[in-house]
Amino acid sequence: MQTPEIPSPQIWVDADACPAVIKEILFRAAERAKIMVTLVANHALPRPSSRFIRSVTVQGGFDVADNEIVERMHAGDLVVTQDIPLAARVIEKGGVAINPRGERYTPENMAERLSMRNFMEELRGAGVQTGGPSAFHMRDRQSFANQLDRWLAQHINRNASPNA
């Protein structure tokens, strides 16, 4: 009896708002680990020529890229996003979600993050100036690289054959 083939985990990137430096880290990781990285955006994005890096261009519109990612991803895949509702959907489907600052979204912190996001949206809707995210620093880049390396180590260990 054959066991069904489990697809190799992939990395999906909510690429419209992903910082270029994070995409570069992902491109290097794709080549190093020989893992598929897919950029999903509502416009064409520059990317290196590689059999491990592809892009999917979706039509503009509310949640179109998010819906595409959730539809295509599988349990165990990694999704890089700053979008908290997308991260919640990824977790519900069994995926792993991290933001470009290296913060991992978990079932334990998701309710708090969604509540804070909704609260801030209400404030902005009422005309309160809430400011934007803090500047992206080298420590954010390093934190992201560390989270990515942890996920890759789990992926490589899980898919390595015992006779390799």
Side-chain angles (χ1 to χ4, degrees), residues 96-115:
V96 175
I98 62 173
N99 72 23
R101 294 177 188 270
E103 298 166 346
R104 185 170 175 168
Y105 300 104
T106 66
E108 295 77 28
N109 69 23
M110 192 49 58
E112 177 185 342
R113 288 177 183 260
L114 284 168
S115 292

Side-chain angles (χ1 to χ4, degrees), residues 12 41 119:
W12 299 90
F119 175 68

Side-chain angles (χ1 to χ4, degrees), residues 11-22:
I11 300 172
W12 299 90
V13 184
D14 184 6
D16 284 319
C18 187
V21 66
I22 296 303

Side-chain angles (χ1 to χ4, degrees), residues 5 9 17 26 66 70 84 98 103 111 116 130 136 140 146 159:
E5 187 174 320
L26 290 164
D66 299 358
V70 172
I84 295 168
I98 62 173
E103 298 166 346
M116 182 57 78
T130 60
F136 195 80
D140 298 318
N146 290 342
N159 289 328

Side-chain angles (χ1 to χ4, degrees), residues 93-162:
K93 194 168 175 184
V96 175
I98 62 173
N99 72 23
R101 294 177 188 270
E103 298 166 346
R104 185 170 175 168
Y105 300 104
T106 66
E108 295 77 28
N109 69 23
M110 192 49 58
E112 177 185 342
R113 288 177 183 260
L114 284 168
S115 292
M116 182 57 78
R117 175 194 170 272
N118 293 340
F119 175 68
M120 296 302 280
E121 256 185 25
E122 286 178 25
L123 287 176
R124 286 188 292 272
V128 176
Q129 295 288 350
T130 60
S134 60
F136 195 80
H137 292 95
M138 183 59 118
R139 70 179 172 269
D140 298 318
R141 176 184 164 168
Q142 187 61 50
S143 180
F144 176 83
N146 290 342
Q147 277 288 357
L148 177 61
D149 285 344
R150 280 194 279 283
W151 184 84
L152 287 170
Q154 290 173 345
H155 162 70
I156 291 167
N157 290 339
R158 186 172 67 221
N159 289 328
S161 75

Side-chain angles (χ1 to χ4, degrees), residues 12-17 38-45 54-72 86 89:
W12 299 90
V13 184
D14 184 6
D16 284 319
T38 304
L39 307 172
V40 181
N42 62 15
H43 61 281
L45 294 170
R54 65 183 174 190
S55 64
V56 174
T57 304
V58 298
Q59 291 185 347
F62 187 71
D63 286 344
V64 175
D66 299 358
N67 293 338
E68 188 75 17
I69 291 169
V70 172
E71 183 177 313
R72 290 181 178 225
L86 171 57
R89 293 172 64 195

